[in-house]
């Protein structure tokens, strides 16, 4: 059975056929770094990390591009409220994002381009669209450039909508638009915005629209046509719809398969900063080990929504510890057992069926049960083969406690310097936001951030030399000062 994936555009599962045999090009939308990441953001990273590992297990050469949107309306607003340069605000949260990737064992992307580093490619794409009659410069002198949705008859094909049924695009001021549904490719510089947040173009100074960035960066690194474009299901419209339209209107075939993962929800709503229901990765990895959080995010089918609760988090941790407990015990009574070269046929069939991790985990648990029986019976030869098989399956999921990045961090209940370093970056981000709130005399926000850290088992100490944090159950340990 060959790998079959669900394509959001066609709403069908189909055989995966790469553009270039033996190679896979994947682009998935990274974070707009307006704040530190929550577990809803990081679920997407875990999903595509598992996909990548499965491709690589099967011998593919994988190129993954995951962008960073480092210029955006929200970044400008939040940085202005904090009294800090927008680029410093964005970089601080980019570092927190990278730390979250690392702490959850996600392999680094092949490349992680920033939007601000690709202005020439965006200008070139806009000019192509203008020349082809699919984009226009606003006539009001604002410097805005818009995509003309009515010039592209296929607009709406990804989300299954018709233009006349769509609401007005809300990604820019309506100034200069021919149609309220036209979306911004370029946003002209406005009075009061930092001069550093604009770039010169033939159309006027300004900054890129969100949708333009990804088409330009995907094309630069993966070519006019590539295999997979992914992201959260909320990006299907308008972001990915707009990417698809502008790329194809410029004459690029663009994407063969669209993959979208479900949300992490709380009380039935998408986890988001705007709803105030986010759970920062920095918080959660203080209550549950990172490898257990990765298991929690990877275990459901990637297209399903995950309703967050402390109970479900604890259940996932307990389930993973049953697997880990067997691996640790089996490793103690065998010597130098490496992961098998391949996985069981039933595990392979599950992963090839639209990355069906729940069915794959069922195979894994069955194998672990057999292994526990072998531990009791003392059958060492069969035990070695069983452990090798279990480790191969865990490796595909990025959950093998005896392999990088978990090796050396200890097993159940322990930690390590590399883990502490990554967690420290995440916690420092929260502390810096708390300090900014205090400087702005927003003491309610400052107290709320401190309470969130306290609930996560982190004690914050303010003193004349700055702010320090330590784990409540480790009074002699601290992660640094601020």
């Amino acid at each position: 059975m060959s790998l079959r994936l669900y394509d959001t555009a066609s709403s069908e599962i189909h055989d995966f056929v790469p553009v270039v045999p033996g190679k896979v090009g994947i682009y998935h939308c990274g974070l707009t770094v307006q704040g530190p990441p929550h577990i809803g953001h990081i679920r997407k990273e875990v999903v595509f990390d598992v996909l990548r590992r499965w491709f690589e297990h099967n011998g593919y050469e994988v190129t993954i591009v995951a962008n960073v949107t480092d210029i955006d309306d929200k970044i400008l607003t939040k940085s202005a409220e904090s009294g800090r340069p927008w680029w410093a605000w964005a970089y601080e949260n980019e570092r927190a994002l990278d730390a979250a990737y690392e702490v959850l064992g996600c392999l680094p992307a092949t490349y992680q381009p920033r939007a601000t580093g690709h202005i020439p490619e965006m200008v070139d794409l806009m000019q192509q669209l203008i020349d082809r009659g699919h984009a226009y410069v606003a006539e009001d002198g604002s410097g805005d450039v818009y995509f003309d949705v009515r010039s592209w008859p296929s607009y709406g094909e990804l989300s299954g909508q018709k233009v006349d049924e769509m609401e007005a695009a809300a990604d820019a001021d309506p100034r200069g638009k021919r149609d309220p549904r036209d979306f911004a490719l370029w946003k002209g510089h406005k009075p009061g915005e930092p001069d550093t947040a604009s770039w010169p173009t033939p159309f006027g100074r300004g900054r890129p629209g969100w949708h333009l960035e990804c088409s330009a960066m995907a094309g630069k690194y993966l070519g006019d046509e590539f295999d997979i474009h992914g992201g959260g299901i909320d990006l299907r419209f308008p972001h990915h719809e707009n990417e698809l339209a502008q790329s194809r209107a410029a004459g690029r075939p663009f994407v063969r398969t669209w993959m979208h993962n479900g949300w992490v929800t709380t009380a039935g709503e998408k986890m988001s900063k705007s709803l105030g229901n986010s759970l920062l990765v920095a918080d959660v990895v203080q209550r549950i080990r990172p490898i257990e959080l990765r298991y929690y995010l990877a275990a459901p089918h990637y297209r399903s929504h995950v309703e967050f609760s402390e109970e479900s988090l604890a259940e996932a941790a307990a389930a993973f510890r049953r697997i880990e407990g067997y691996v640790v015990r089996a490793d103690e009574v065998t010597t130098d057992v490496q992961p098998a070269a391949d996985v069981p046929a039933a595990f392979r069939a599950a992963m090839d069926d639209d990355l069906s991790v729940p069915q794959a985990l069922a195979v894994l648990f069955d194998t672990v049960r057999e292994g526990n029986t072998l531990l009791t019976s003392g059958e060492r030869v069969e035990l070695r083969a069983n452990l090798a098989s279990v480790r191969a399956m865990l490796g595909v999921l990025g959950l093998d406690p005896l392999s990088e990045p978990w090796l050396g961090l200890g097993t159940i209940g322990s930690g390590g310097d590399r883990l502490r370093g990554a967690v420290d970056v995440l916690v420092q981000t929260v502390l810096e936001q708390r300090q900014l709130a205090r400087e702005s005399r927003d003491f309610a926000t400052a107290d709320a951030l401190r309470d969130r850290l306290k609930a996560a088992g982190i004690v914050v100490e303010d003193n004349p030399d700055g702010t320090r944090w330590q784990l409540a159950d480790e009074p002699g340990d601290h992660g640094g000062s601020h």
Side-chain angles (χ1 to χ4, degrees):
M1 178 179 176
S2 61
L3 175 61
R4 293 169 58 78
L5 294 172
Y6 181 86
D7 174 37
T8 310
S10 64
S11 299
E12 295 179 349
I13 295 178
H14 61 72
D15 290 342
F16 173 77
V17 180
V19 174
V20 179
K23 297 185 178 182
V24 182
I26 302 173
Y27 185 97
H28 59 84
C29 291
L31 199 61
T32 298
V33 285
Q34 56 170 306
H38 57 64
I39 62 172
H41 296 133
I42 299 302
R43 187 192 181 198
K44 184 265 299 180
E45 300 300 328
V46 172
V47 163
F48 283 92
D49 188 63
V50 172
L51 177 67
R52 171 192 186 161
R53 289 170 184 269
W54 184 236
F55 274 125
E56 290 181 342
H57 178 83
N58 288 287
Y60 284 94
E61 178 185 333
V62 181
T63 299
I64 285 196
V65 178
N67 72 297
V68 170
T69 297
D70 60 339
I71 185 69
D72 174 84
D73 291 343
K74 293 178 181 178
I75 292 174
L76 293 181
T77 298
K78 292 189 176 183
S79 63
E81 291 172 350
S82 73
R84 301 179 64 197
W86 64 269
W87 42 265
W89 182 270
Y91 182 58
E92 173 187 306
N93 289 305
E94 182 182 340
R95 289 176 60 238
L97 179 64
D98 289 341
Y101 294 165
E102 181 180 1
V103 80
L104 289 187
C106 295
L107 299 170
T110 310
Y111 192 54
Q112 184 174 285
R114 295 178 182 141
T116 55
H118 296 80
I119 303 300
E121 290 82 2
M122 298 179 203
V123 172
D124 182 59
L125 178 54
M126 280 191 289
Q127 190 63 62
Q128 291 178 43
L129 291 169
I130 292 171
D131 293 344
R132 287 170 171 258
H134 296 298
Y136 58 92
V137 181
E139 296 179 357
D140 61 358
S142 62
D144 293 345
V145 181
Y146 295 103
F147 183 88
D148 184 351
V149 297
R150 293 192 179 276
S151 74
W152 187 245
S154 298
Y155 187 71
E157 61 183 314
L158 180 61
S159 57
Q161 300 184 77
K162 296 181 179 179
V163 173
D164 290 334
E165 299 172 354
M166 296 178 183
E167 296 181 357
D171 63 337
D173 292 341
R175 60 182 187 179
K177 285 188 179 185
R178 296 175 183 173
D179 187 296
R181 300 164 188 83
D182 293 347
F183 61 87
L185 299 172
W186 191 256
K187 299 182 178 183
H189 184 66
K190 299 177 184 177
E193 292 182 344
D195 289 339
T196 55
S198 67
W199 290 262
T201 75
F203 325 113
R205 289 193 68 88
R207 54 190 170 84
W210 178 31
H211 317 299
L212 181 72
E213 303 169 3
C214 289
S215 286
M217 289 186 282
K220 179 178 179 68
Y221 297 106
L222 296 175
D224 289 349
E225 182 179 21
F226 57 96
D227 299 299
I228 296 171
H229 195 320
I233 190 61
D234 54 314
L235 298 184
R236 183 181 185 184
F237 185 87
H239 184 46
H240 289 166
E241 186 75 71
N242 294 348
E243 279 189 66
L244 177 62
Q246 67 197 9
S247 297
R248 289 194 172 167
R252 305 176 182 181
F254 207 43
V255 181
R256 286 196 173 183
T257 301
W258 289 90
M259 291 182 66
H260 292 96
N261 61 275
W263 297 331
V264 177
T265 60
T266 53
E269 295 185 272
K270 171 193 169 187
M271 185 173 291
S272 67
K273 294 182 177 67
S274 62
L275 291 177
N277 60 1
S278 62
L279 285 163
L280 299 182
V281 176
D283 291 347
V284 181
V285 295
Q286 295 300 320
R287 306 197 299 276
I288 181 174
R289 290 182 304 145
I291 195 171
E292 294 167 352
L293 177 57
R294 181 185 174 96
Y295 176 89
Y296 174 75
L297 296 173
H301 194 279
Y302 75 90
R303 286 194 281 124
S304 65
H305 294 321
V306 177
E307 175 64 19
F308 177 85
S309 70
E310 293 296 339
E311 292 76 16
S312 63
L313 192 66
E315 289 171 1
F320 178 74
R321 290 185 181 200
R322 289 197 296 273
I323 300 170
E324 184 183 30
Y326 162 70
V327 171
V328 171
R329 291 192 301 274
D331 183 63
E332 289 173 350
V333 299
T334 57
T335 56
D336 194 31
V337 175
Q338 298 302 309
D342 204 356
V343 294
F347 184 94
R348 171 173 293 280
M351 295 297 290
D352 279 345
D353 184 15
D354 192 32
L355 216 65
S356 185
V357 172
Q359 282 68 42
L361 284 174
V363 177
L364 175 61
F365 274 106
D366 285 343
T367 310
V368 167
R369 279 191 289 271
E370 294 169 0
N372 282 320
T373 299
L374 292 170
L375 270 172
T376 303
S377 67
E379 296 288 344
R380 293 295 179 261
V381 174
E382 293 182 20
L383 177 63
R384 290 177 62 86
N386 181 280
L387 177 59
S389 182
V390 167
R391 290 194 61 194
M393 290 184 277
L394 288 171
V396 166
L397 302 175
L399 291 168
D400 182 359
L402 303 183
S403 294
E404 294 291 347
W406 316 113
L407 185 64
L409 298 183
T411 53
I412 301 171
S414 61
D417 292 339
R418 183 163 173 261
L419 172 61
R420 173 54 61 86
V423 172
D424 184 46
V425 173
L426 294 168
V427 175
Q428 290 296 341
T429 299
V430 178
L431 292 178
E432 288 166 10
Q433 291 187 330
R434 174 175 175 264
Q435 180 62 27
L436 291 173
R438 295 172 71 191
E439 292 172 357
S440 302
R441 303 191 68 78
D442 184 1
F443 298 114
T445 297
D447 290 344
L449 289 170
R450 181 173 186 142
D451 289 344
R452 290 184 68 181
L453 291 174
K454 182 178 180 181
I458 299 171
V459 177
V460 176
E461 297 177 352
D462 297 311
N463 56 61
D465 297 325
T467 301
R468 301 165 70 89
W469 70 269
Q470 65 185 34
L471 298 178
D473 58 351
E474 295 178 30
D477 193 13
H478 63 270
S481 61
H482 172 70

